[in-house]
Amino acid sequence: ANKFVIIGGGSTQSPSILEVLRQRSADLDMNQLVLYDIDEERVSLLGQYTKMYYKETGSPVHVSYTTNLEEALQDANFLFMQIRPGLNKQRAIDEKICIRNGVIGQETCGLGGFSFAMRVIPDIIAIIKKVKQICPDAWILNYTNPEAILSEAIYREFPEAKVICICDMPISIEGAIAQYFHKDLKDITFKYFGMNHFGWWTSMIDENGQDLLPQLREDVQSGKIDTLAQWNDETLDDQYWIDTYKRMITIFKRFPEYFPNCYLQYYLMPDVMMAESDVNFTRGDWVMQGREKRIFTECRRVLKAGTAKGSSLNSGVHGNYIVDIANAIIHNTRERFTVNQKNNGAISNFDPDAVVEVPAYIGSMGAETISIGKIPTFHKGLMELQKAYEKRTVDAALSGSYQVALEAVVLNKTIPDYHVGKKVLDELYEANKQYWPEL
Ligand code: G6P
Ligand code: MN
């Protein structure tokens, strides 16, 4: 039997995961589920809700919640990690500092990502150290952002750890592509390379062995489609994602060799992203006033009513993806997923020690990446710069060196010059004193 623990169980991303776990608990041989968080209020709201919901739907799984990490980790088999030190409040503060200075503040790209990395790296390292002591055989599946930088830190500090760093973005985009071609996602074999939130698809082979990428390219070049938004049913009520799925096609039109991950919009269309950002209402504000409010209000309503009947935990790609990977490990299915792992030759002309996002076959031994081969100069150039920034950010978080932090900041493609970089760095540091390592 398996004990699953959600580290950061008070997250608004939890409901989707909790619902998929409940539906598939028999397959996963899950008999115990623990929500762990440092935020007592949030974890108790989501924890009590989940207990009630599981019980009323007849689930045999024992659900509990705690703010005690040691207790949560005891005898654990799977740890789903999704933490956010400083919550979305700090995310919005970072976004605003960046936007006011005329640069991208997104939580994974630009200096919003830098700041989030400085907050999260020390905590993640402390948690994994505990895991090594208390439940060294447990698998850690990490969703925590900024995944690119964080995975670089994790595999550097714990090269032998049983960790798979993942993101739901590649599979979400693949789902939209499959729907566009009226195909079953499972019937298409995707080849992708890059880093997290920074990569490209080189091929998408259908069940007949035909590559769909040339057709997609033609449909974009001819103007037949200018967005993939309507083929992505999950985010159609969210203008940010509608716009993002459109900008992704714009980028593909401008750079038609490979199909881009949508997060490249922050690096290849920063002018548009800046023009569209609103310092008074950022994505962090949107999440706090939207998703967070909705979920915790619903928890409170259900707990007051004393029943979860008529309520539901929503599920979707986010929950399915991480559970699919756990399932692949448990049943040694050797299915193919796109994950973040040490390059180790997968991209032959890229640093073997760097963490990259590539397809891998996942089974009980973990992830075995596939060979990508040589990548073109354009993509490699962008990746080299980004990787240098990521590595220097990890160095800064681990060393607490101001000079190294400054180097990281100046390496980021969204930073125009030293003066802007230093000013934003100093303002971010001031606003994050409580969370960053001392510089
Ligand atoms: C996608 C990305 C995640 C990111 C999320 C942001 O799922 O892959 O890395 O956390 O979007 O969602 P939010 O609604 O918080 O902006
Ligand atoms: Mn992601």
Side-chain angles (χ1 to χ4, degrees):
N2 289 312
K3 172 178 172 180
F4 282 69
V5 181
I6 306 205
I7 297 179
S11 163
T12 56
Q13 300 288 4
S14 290
S16 165
I17 297 173
L18 293 164
E19 175 62 347
V20 180
L21 283 174
R22 184 189 67 86
Q23 288 167 7
R24 296 170 62 180
S25 62
D27 263 358
L28 299 165
D29 196 17
M30 173 174 86
N31 68 339
Q32 219 186 322
L33 171 64
V34 181
L35 280 73
Y36 159 78
D37 206 294
I38 58 170
D39 190 316
E40 159 96 57
E41 192 190 3
R42 290 169 61 123
V43 79
S44 83
L45 281 169
L46 271 166
Q48 290 178 73
Y49 178 108
T50 307
K51 279 178 86 150
M52 196 178 275
Y53 183 79
Y54 269 51
K55 199 166 164 217
E56 289 180 354
T57 52
S59 170
V61 176
H62 180 268
V63 181
S64 62
Y65 61 92
T66 179
T67 54
N68 183 322
L69 182 59
E70 284 82 2
E71 184 190 309
L73 295 180
Q74 210 66 57
D75 304 317
N77 302 98
F78 282 90
L79 311 170
F80 290 180
M81 205 149 62
Q82 43 163 4
I83 67 168
R84 179 184 287 285
L87 301 169
N88 279 293
K89 182 168 153 280
Q90 217 58 30
R91 172 185 186 177
I93 289 171
D94 290 349
E95 288 171 322
K96 287 169 194 190
I97 289 173
C98 292
I99 295 170
R100 264 189 234 108
N101 283 288
V103 296
I104 299 292
Q106 204 272 341
E107 65 160 345
T108 63
C109 307
L111 295 201
F114 173 83
S115 184
F116 195 1
M118 295 295 275
R119 286 199 297 278
V120 86
I121 287 173
D123 287 5
I124 287 282
I125 286 177
I127 291 170
I128 300 181
K129 280 188 177 151
K130 278 261 159 67
V131 171
K132 295 205 100 179
Q133 291 162 10
I134 300 176
C135 52
D137 291 329
W139 276 101
I140 302 173
L141 305 186
N142 183 60
Y143 255 150
T144 310
N145 268 325
E147 186 74 278
I149 303 169
L150 197 54
S151 56
E152 191 64 41
I154 290 173
Y155 297 126
R156 187 193 299 185
E157 289 298 286
F158 307 99
E160 304 303 325
K162 293 168 78 173
V163 186
I164 300 180
C165 290
I166 58 168
C167 166
D168 58 6
M169 205 69 245
I171 188 116
S172 299
I173 295 171
E174 290 169 3
I177 292 170
Q179 277 201 38
Y180 174 67
F181 285 108
H182 307 287
K183 304 251 177 203
D184 191 342
L185 178 58
K186 290 240 177 318
D187 286 340
I188 310 178
T189 305
F190 291 89
K191 200 175 227 182
Y192 175 97
F193 76 87
M195 278 98 65
N196 177 241
H197 291 185
F198 202 98
W200 296 265
W201 282 268
T202 64
S203 66
M204 27 194 89
I205 311 291
D206 73 5
E207 73 279 18
N208 305 313
Q210 196 184 330
D211 189 357
L212 301 170
L213 185 64
Q215 185 65 55
L216 190 54
R217 189 183 293 122
E218 199 183 305
D219 291 352
V220 168
Q221 292 298 329
S222 70
K224 188 177 168 210
I225 47 163
D226 66 355
T227 180
L228 275 185
Q230 61 266 47
W231 289 283
N232 168 38
D233 30 61
E234 281 208 53
T235 49
L236 276 183
D237 56 346
D238 184 339
Q239 194 59 44
Y240 168 79
W241 287 109
I242 294 173
D243 295 342
T244 294
Y245 269 71
K246 184 164 186 190
R247 288 186 289 255
M248 180 167 71
I249 294 300
T250 304
I251 293 171
F252 185 42
K253 195 162 189 182
R254 293 177 183 174
F255 303 99
E257 187 165 16
Y258 295 148
F259 191 83
N261 186 306
C262 62
Y263 278 92
L264 286 163
Q265 66 187 347
Y266 292 103
Y267 307 98
L268 300 178
M269 301 178 75
D271 46 343
V272 174
M273 300 315 290
M274 284 316 298
E276 287 185 5
S277 56
D278 177 357
V279 75
N280 296 312
F281 193 71
T282 61
R283 182 72 188 175
D285 291 328
W286 186 92
V287 171
M288 280 188 281
Q289 290 171 37
R291 189 167 66 231
E292 281 197 342
K293 211 176 242 165
R294 192 178 67 245
I295 288 176
F296 291 111
T297 303
E298 179 61 1
C299 284
R300 288 200 173 87
R301 187 194 66 76
V302 161
L303 295 180
K304 204 163 161 217
T307 174
K309 291 217 168 70
S311 183
S312 76
L313 294 162
N314 54 328
S315 68
V317 167
H318 190 80
N320 273 304
Y321 194 59
I322 195 164
V323 174
D324 279 342
I325 291 179
N327 185 73
I329 293 171
I330 291 168
H331 296 293
N332 194 27
T333 66
R334 291 159 292 186
E335 287 160 281
R336 182 169 164 134
F337 299 91
T338 296
V339 297
N340 296 273
Q341 289 282 300
K342 280 232 177 204
N343 180 27
N344 202 15
I347 302 171
S348 59
N349 55 343
F350 200 68
D351 180 357
D353 288 326
V355 174
V356 292
E357 194 166 75
V358 289
Y361 288 94
I362 296 190
S364 53
M365 73 302 175
E368 288 194 315
T369 55
I370 70 149
S371 162
I372 296 289
K374 257 192 174 172
I375 57 171
T377 305
F378 174 62
H379 310 82
K380 181 168 183 283
L382 287 167
M383 281 174 63
E384 294 283 7
L385 181 67
Q386 182 73 358
K387 183 50 74 181
Y389 151 74
E390 290 173 6
K391 286 195 169 184
R392 229 38 193 141
T393 302
V394 174
D395 294 339
L398 296 180
S399 67
S401 158
Y402 180 85
Q403 187 59 32
V404 174
L406 193 56
E407 287 185 16
V409 161
V410 168
L411 276 167
N412 193 287
K413 187 170 162 56
T414 66
I415 296 305
D417 62 45
Y418 166 82
H419 299 286
V420 172
K422 184 171 183 342
K423 182 156 180 283
V424 178
L425 171 62
D426 291 346
E427 289 181 27
L428 288 172
Y429 183 41
E430 199 50 46
N432 283 280
K433 275 254 160 78
Q434 208 189 318
Y435 303 99
W436 285 16
E438 198 181 326
L439 295 183

